Each structure stands twice: as structure tokens, then as C-alpha cells.
Amino acid sequence: MKKRIFCAITAALLGLCGCGGQEEEVFSLTAEQQEKYTQIIDQVTEEFYWNYDKDSLVFGQAVVPENTEENARLFAASADCEYALSAKAGTDAVLATAALLHYNGEQAGQLVCYFTGGSLSGICYQGGYDNGYYSLQERNPFLSDGGFTAYDTWTGMHPAFDQSAANFPAEGFLSVGEDASGNRLCVSLQEGAVQVYRYSGGALRLWRTLSFGSGLEATSAVFLDGEGGSRLAVLLSSITETEPAAGSEGGEISTIRSEKIVFYDENMQLTETEIPLESVRAGALAWDDGTLMLSVDQTIQLYTEGAEGWQRDTVARLKHQADYIHITDLDGNGTKEYLMSDGMDLYLYHRNGDTFRQIWSTHLGVESLYGPITSGDLNRDGVKEVYVCDMTGTTIRYILTEKGLRSSNEDIDYGQCIYPCDLNGDGLDDYWFIADSIQRQGYLCIAQEEAE
């Protein structure tokens, strides 16, 4: 593939300038040199699991920047890839740039490669909301300024948890509420039914099972906070299994049509209140301080309850579906984060009235996530981690860093699941731990106060 070459050298990019009537230098590379550098770029980007747009690859003459505080981030990003570019500061170089691409083809920023003496001396990319320099190991920088005031200092689980053997759904829970006595409730979906678990007397037990007739199954549920205990909203859908066409690959095809939202009172008794949905393809319910949120295709519908029942107020638009929504405050600064998943990528938003501003996301574009999103501060550093399962049923832990959310799974084995929440209301996050997703065996882990 033919590579373009710079002939005009700009002072900002290359560190060169024309002076008066002096003849300007003309930069050129032989085809052999271009091919050599391209092969090196191919090798190193593949090593770090990146793609780049080869048609955008450009070579130019440059000078490696001086080793100053202003350029520290460039050198740090390259050093993180084990290329000590700072050792070549002030050296003449060949600069190669190209559009760096995520796994799903979305552009991550600009790939930056410095060659000196015919070898690669430095590599990083410019991207993120601040167009800063990032290591190729930093895969998903923030897309907008989240205004976070604290970041996770993850070094492992806090040791002070009291474990007791338990048998819970490996799929986890969708929402947390309270009964009239202040006992915590967790809701889980099992084969189209709703299971409500209650923590009381130091134990978490199944409290209610809600089933539905007429071919309807529960596909989402959320607790609605209230002074006399939490009510429950349940999204009911009809699911049709269709055999694949003759000769085609794959199994049965599921068609999900969401029919209505029904409501249960504080005692989990069905009420007469409903929101008809006219067979739309809805994904998830969420509750946000008096507003019921429903994801439909690539929108979030916002409902409020008045004297005449539930009314849809506004519709917020996204660029993806949302099969799960989790609302939390990761860093405790009073600003809520809205985490969403479409089964392929994890997204983090801030809400501004009727709009959502995307702060961060993964960029996979393939089926990779399964089940609900939860969050909890299980190392007690004041910042919550995010927990969601991959398609194997293994939990992925994401921690909040200055350069985006980053996965940290060193202590999670294949098939293990972690679902955090404050079960006993003492201000410390507890968690379900599923050690065997097939047998649904695991532990209830209750946080203990540290001894003084």
C-alpha cells in the first residue's frame, strides 16, 4: 500500500523552520525505508492489540522534543511501552503518524512513532478528551471531563469480610431497595420470574417470587424508593423462539417484544397501575430520584408519577441500546454516574437534565458483556469499583483511574462472580461471591468494622 510522504515541514510538528531566502530542506524516504518503518509499526501495534489506518500513515522529518516538564507526558507514555524516548531528546528523527483504531474500528486518536538511527525510539498516541499523550496500554481514556475528585487505589479486597456459605443466582441482582422495616431487598430475574431476596436477622433469604401468566416474562425490574418501603416496577415482555432458516448457522432466534410495565406495592402485592408499551423493544428499567427510566432502542424514556398516573415526559437519545442501567456515585463527589451496557460495550455517562454526556466507554463492538452492572467500594478507599460479567459468566472489575476505567481481575478466577451492595445498611459495602456458577454455590460476604 502506497505511503504518503511530507514535503512541507511545519515548525509546530517537526521542530524546523524556514529562514529568509534560504532554500528549504526537502524530506524524502526511499520505498525500502518506508517499508521497513511500516513493518516495525505493524509489529508493535499488533503486540499491543491495536489497529491503525494504513492509508493515513504519514512520514516526516522531526526532532525529538526536549526533555522538559511540558513534554513529560509524551516521554512517560512512550516509556510505559518500554521505549525510552527521553534518551533521544533533541535528536533528529523520522516521525510517523496515523489514525489509531480501536478493536471495533472507531478512531482512538493519532498514533505517534519516532524513529532514530533507523530504529523505533518512541511510540504513544494522542487521544482522549484532552488530546493528551497516552501509552498504548491505556486503551480507553476519558471521552469527556468527568470532574472526578478521587480515584481508586486498588491493591486488593479489604480483608475484613465475614463469609458464610450461600446459594444465590449466578446472574446477580438488578436493583436494591428496602422493606417497611428498613431491611435491604435485592431483586433478581430467574427464567422469566422475579425473585426478591431480603436481608434480615443476619441472613439473606428468598422473600418473594413473582410469576406472570399470558406468555409474559420479566425482562427488567427496579425498586422505587419511598418512605414506607420500596415499591417494585417490572418490565414484562413476550419472547418468541424461532427456528433458524434451513442451512443457516446458529441456534434459535429470540424475538423480544416488551408489552408493559407493572407495579408492586411495598408488600410486593400487584397493583392496578400499568404503563402500556405497545410491543416496543425495551431494554432496562432504572430509578433516578423520582424519575422512572426506560431504555427503548437507542433512547431513554423518562416517566414521572402524578395525580393521573405515570406520564412520559421526555426522551433522551443515545448512540447505542442499553440492556442494563446502573446509577451510582463512584467517587463520592455528589455527581451521579450512569453506567450502561448494550452487551458489547460498557458506557459511563453524566446526566444533565434530559441529556446524557458520555464520559467514557469501551470500544469492542462485539458481544462481550452479560448481565447486570453493580458497583461497590470493596477495598474501602472511598471510591467504588464497577462489576459486570463477561460472556463466560466471569466478573470483570473496572476501577476508576485518572486515564479512564481500567479492568483489574488479578484475583478473579474463571467463572467467579462478584455482586456488591450494602446489605445491612451499615455504610460498608458487602457482596455476593459466586464461586461456582454452575452449582450457584458461593458466599455471602459481610463487611466487618476494623479493630481499633
Side-chain angles (χ1 to χ4, degrees):
M1 185 175 296
K2 187 176 180 180
K3 308 297 184 297
R4 295 179 292 164
I5 304 178
F6 270 134
C7 291
I9 313 300
T10 64
L13 183 60
L14 307 179
L16 302 177
C17 62
C19 300
Q22 294 182 355
E23 184 177 346
E24 293 186 0
E25 294 186 50
V26 176
F27 170 72
S28 64
L29 288 177
T30 66
E32 183 178 357
Q33 288 173 318
Q34 291 182 63
E35 186 60 32
K36 174 185 175 182
Y37 291 149
T38 301
Q39 288 179 358
I40 294 173
I41 295 171
D42 288 348
Q43 180 178 352
V44 73
T45 52
E46 182 178 352
E47 177 185 346
F48 285 96
Y49 303 101
W50 285 98
N51 297 322
Y52 72 96
D53 181 1
K54 295 189 177 183
D55 288 336
S56 70
L57 181 60
V58 176
F59 294 99
Q61 187 175 354
V63 174
V64 178
E66 294 296 332
N67 192 358
T68 64
E69 183 178 349
E70 182 181 359
N71 298 321
R73 189 166 169 182
L74 166 66
F75 293 128
S78 182
D80 194 52
C81 299
E82 299 186 359
Y83 288 88
L85 182 60
S86 59
K88 303 294 184 180
T91 304
D92 290 339
V94 172
L95 174 65
T97 62
L100 188 67
L101 304 177
H102 288 290
Y103 183 86
N104 62 351
E106 294 178 354
Q107 187 164 336
Q110 184 180 56
L111 180 67
V112 178
C113 305
Y114 282 94
F115 294 88
T116 62
S119 300
L120 181 64
S121 297
I123 187 168
C124 62
Y125 73 98
Q126 281 186 282
Y129 77 95
D130 59 354
N131 200 34
Y133 291 104
Y134 290 88
S135 163
L136 294 187
Q137 301 199 69
E138 301 288 348
R139 307 204 65 82
N140 302 296
F142 289 117
L143 302 174
S144 300
D145 184 2
F148 296 107
T149 58
Y151 298 95
D152 209 303
T153 57
W154 182 264
T155 56
M157 287 279 199
H158 195 281
F161 285 94
D162 181 27
Q163 294 187 350
S164 57
N167 187 304
F168 298 125
E171 295 81 0
F173 56 88
L174 292 169
S175 181
V176 178
E178 291 186 351
D179 67 11
S181 300
N183 298 308
R184 291 298 175 98
L185 305 175
C186 298
V187 62
S188 178
L189 302 187
Q190 292 294 310
E191 298 181 351
V194 172
Q195 291 184 341
V196 181
Y197 288 80
R198 181 170 65 177
Y199 186 85
S200 179
L204 184 66
R205 301 182 179 88
L206 181 62
W207 182 48
R208 296 282 191 275
T209 297
L210 311 176
S211 301
F212 314 94
S214 304
L216 296 178
E217 300 183 20
T219 51
S220 186
V222 66
F223 285 112
L224 317 182
D225 296 333
E227 294 182 0
S230 300
R231 296 177 293 161
L232 182 69
V234 179
L235 175 64
L236 296 182
S237 304
S238 59
I239 303 177
T240 304
E241 303 288 349
T242 305
E243 293 290 339
S248 63
E249 298 181 358
E252 293 183 335
I253 301 172
S254 296
T255 302
I256 302 176
R257 305 298 298 180
S258 302
E259 304 294 347
K260 59 184 177 179
I261 302 171
V262 297
F263 295 86
Y264 288 78
D265 64 19
E266 294 82 357
N267 296 313
M268 297 300 110
Q269 300 299 311
L270 182 64
T271 70
E272 296 181 355
T273 304
E274 293 184 356
I275 299 177
L277 298 177
E278 301 177 356
S279 296
V280 299
R281 172 62 175 93
L285 288 169
W287 178 249
D288 188 19
D289 290 340
T291 301
L292 182 64
M293 301 169 58
L294 174 69
S295 66
V296 179
D297 294 325
Q298 295 187 358
T299 67
I300 300 291
Q301 297 181 358
L302 306 176
Y303 291 82
T304 55
E305 187 178 21
E308 298 181 358
W310 291 93
Q311 301 293 326
R312 191 175 76 184
D313 294 333
T314 56
V315 175
R317 300 197 176 277
L318 307 174
K319 294 183 179 180
H320 59 85
Q321 295 183 4
D323 294 332
Y324 295 93
I325 302 172
H326 176 67
I327 305 172
T328 188
D329 180 359
L330 292 176
D331 59 342
N333 67 350
T335 299
K336 288 183 288 187
E337 278 72 56
Y338 297 76
L339 290 145
M340 304 184 193
S341 167
D342 60 357
M344 294 182 288
D345 286 290
L346 182 65
Y347 304 85
L348 186 151
Y349 289 90
H350 282 165
R351 180 183 171 189
N352 182 15
D354 300 334
T355 62
F356 290 86
R357 179 168 63 97
Q358 189 170 325
I359 304 299
W360 174 91
S361 78
T362 57
H363 298 85
L364 295 174
V366 296
E367 288 192 25
S368 56
L369 300 177
Y370 173 78
I373 307 164
T374 54
S375 65
D377 181 13
L378 300 186
N379 64 340
R380 301 193 200 176
D381 66 348
V383 179
K384 294 183 179 181
E385 310 89 52
V386 177
Y387 295 83
V388 60
C389 285
D390 64 17
M391 294 302 290
T392 69
T394 304
T395 286
I396 306 174
R397 177 195 295 115
Y398 288 94
I399 60 175
L400 186 68
T401 76
E402 294 182 357
K403 296 181 180 179
L405 271 67
R406 176 176 62 83
S407 62
S408 179
N409 269 46
E410 297 81 4
D411 58 335
I412 302 176
D413 293 333
Y414 180 87
Q416 292 182 341
C417 306
I418 296 173
Y419 301 106
C421 70
D422 181 5
L423 285 169
N424 55 9
D426 64 354
L428 299 176
D429 284 321
D430 316 296
Y431 64 100
W432 299 4
F433 175 68
I434 307 297
D436 185 337
S437 59
I438 303 299
Q439 300 297 324
R440 293 182 9 178
Q441 295 175 348
Y443 300 91
L444 181 62
C445 303
I446 302 298
Q448 303 298 304
E449 295 283 354
E450 294 184 78
E452 297 183 359

